[in-house]
């Protein structure tokens, strides 16, 4: 059974997924513009989910035009081994993103979409970011913006603006047992996201969504030239 990272909203799930798909299509266009992968460049989808019930979960594999050089990387717990069957030509690697069994700079470009907020403490998040950056010369990370009024995993408004201890106490009272744990959800704002990246790389933040209240944060990180 694939891991579930968001609250189920019943009949509203279709609306929620449709809105998320619109955002992720925009993220894909931004990835292609910023990273400019060519047909012979190795590209990675870092941290894929095992869900396949809605196009939002496989937007990158569906839209990417050069599948023979695309590698999907997912943890064993995600149950995502069906990717090569559904997307012929795509490579699949089962690995923890904190320990990727590939050499430095193996990929020209990669996308790590909505993963880092599930990676644990800030130190654990930074370890994941460093490892992904190690194997990828141009990488784009995305995460929901903690400053957005609605928390996009639980769809609860404003509670996530509380200090962390009070926020998690409120989640516990509301029966949100999964996201109470820091290891399952640790939200980031712009400064905390940028702070995860190695200083020697060129790191640039982009905010996606409503201009005054962006719902998503994107960080593009480029390795220094040798």
């Amino acid at each position: 059974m694939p891991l579930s990272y968001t609250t189920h909203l019943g009949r509203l799930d279709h609306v929620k997924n449709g809105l998320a798909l619109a955002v992720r299509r925009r993220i894909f266009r931004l990835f292609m513009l910023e990273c400019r992968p060519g047909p012979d460049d190795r590209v990675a989808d870092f941290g894929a989910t095992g869900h396949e019930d809605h196009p939002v979960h496989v937007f990158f594999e569906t839209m990417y035009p050069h599948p023979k050089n695309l590698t999907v990387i997912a943890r064993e717990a995600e149950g995502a081994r069906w990717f090569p069957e559904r997307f012929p030509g795509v490579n699949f690697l089962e690995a923890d993103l904190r320990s990727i069994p590939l050499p430095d700079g193996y990929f020209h470009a990669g996308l790590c979409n909505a993963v880092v907020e599930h990676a644990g403490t800030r130190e654990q998040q930074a370890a994941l970011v460093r490892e992904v950056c190690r194997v990828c010369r141009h990488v784009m990370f995305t995460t929901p913006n903690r400053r957005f009024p609605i928390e996009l995993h639980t769809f609860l408004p404003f509670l996530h603006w509380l200090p962390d201890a009070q926020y998690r106490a409120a989640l516990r009272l509301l029966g949100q047992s999964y996201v109470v744990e820091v290891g399952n959800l640790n939200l980031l704002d712009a400064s905390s996201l940028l702070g995860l990246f190695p200083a020697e790389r060129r790191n640039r933040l982009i905010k996606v969504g409503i201009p005054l209240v962006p719902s998503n944060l994107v960080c593009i990180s480029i390795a220094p030239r040798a």
Side-chain angles (χ1 to χ4, degrees):
M1 177 72 67
L3 298 176
S4 181
Y5 298 102
T6 63
T7 299
H8 293 293
L9 302 179
R11 293 181 179 179
L12 291 178
D13 275 340
H14 186 73
V15 175
K16 174 189 73 174
N17 287 333
L19 292 172
L21 181 58
V23 171
R24 292 183 181 190
R25 284 172 173 162
R26 182 176 177 186
I27 286 170
F28 177 82
R29 292 191 294 268
L30 186 61
F31 171 83
M32 295 299 287
L33 177 66
E34 293 286 341
C35 297
R36 299 185 180 277
D40 297 321
D41 289 324
R42 288 192 291 248
V43 170
D45 177 8
F46 292 100
T49 175
H51 290 277
E52 52 180 331
D53 57 316
H54 191 279
V56 70
H57 303 303
V58 291
F59 77 101
F60 192 78
E61 290 72 27
T62 301
M63 299 178 73
Y64 190 68
H66 313 299
K68 69 181 179 69
N69 284 317
L70 174 61
T71 298
V72 174
I73 304 177
R75 295 183 300 166
E76 181 180 2
E78 296 292 345
R81 292 181 181 178
W82 48 264
F83 264 92
E85 182 177 352
R86 179 163 175 184
F87 297 99
V90 166
N91 303 296
F92 179 76
L93 174 63
E94 204 165 69
D96 189 310
L97 294 186
R98 297 187 194 91
S99 181
I100 303 171
L102 293 170
D104 294 358
Y106 182 81
F107 295 108
H108 168 77
L111 177 67
C112 190
N113 180 70
V115 173
V116 68
E117 68 269 21
H118 304 296
T121 64
R122 288 287 182 264
E123 291 77 15
Q124 291 170 322
Q125 290 173 336
L128 183 148
V129 169
R130 285 195 303 269
E131 180 67 353
V132 170
C133 287
R134 180 187 68 79
V135 301
C136 198
R137 295 189 294 279
H138 300 75
V139 66
M140 176 186 287
F141 277 80
T142 81
T143 191
N145 181 12
R146 186 173 185 177
R147 300 305 177 194
F148 191 64
I150 297 173
E151 200 287 298
L152 298 179
H153 298 85
T154 61
F155 283 81
L156 295 169
F158 304 118
L159 280 179
H160 57 295
W161 288 357
L162 292 170
D164 195 64
Q166 288 92 318
Y167 170 52
R168 297 190 186 280
L171 288 176
R172 191 172 287 107
L173 287 173
L174 292 170
Q176 299 282 347
S177 58
Y178 182 81
V179 294
V180 164
E181 302 299 328
V182 173
N184 294 329
L185 184 65
N186 193 7
L187 300 169
L188 300 109
D189 57 18
S191 61
S192 55
L193 177 62
L194 272 174
L196 301 177
F197 286 82
E200 67 272 13
R201 292 173 68 99
R202 286 185 289 146
N203 306 309
R204 180 163 58 93
L205 187 80
I206 299 174
K207 297 179 180 180
V208 176
I210 304 169
L212 293 178
V213 194
S215 60
N216 293 78
L217 303 172
V218 173
C219 188
I220 297 160
S221 182
I222 302 174
R225 292 182 179 178

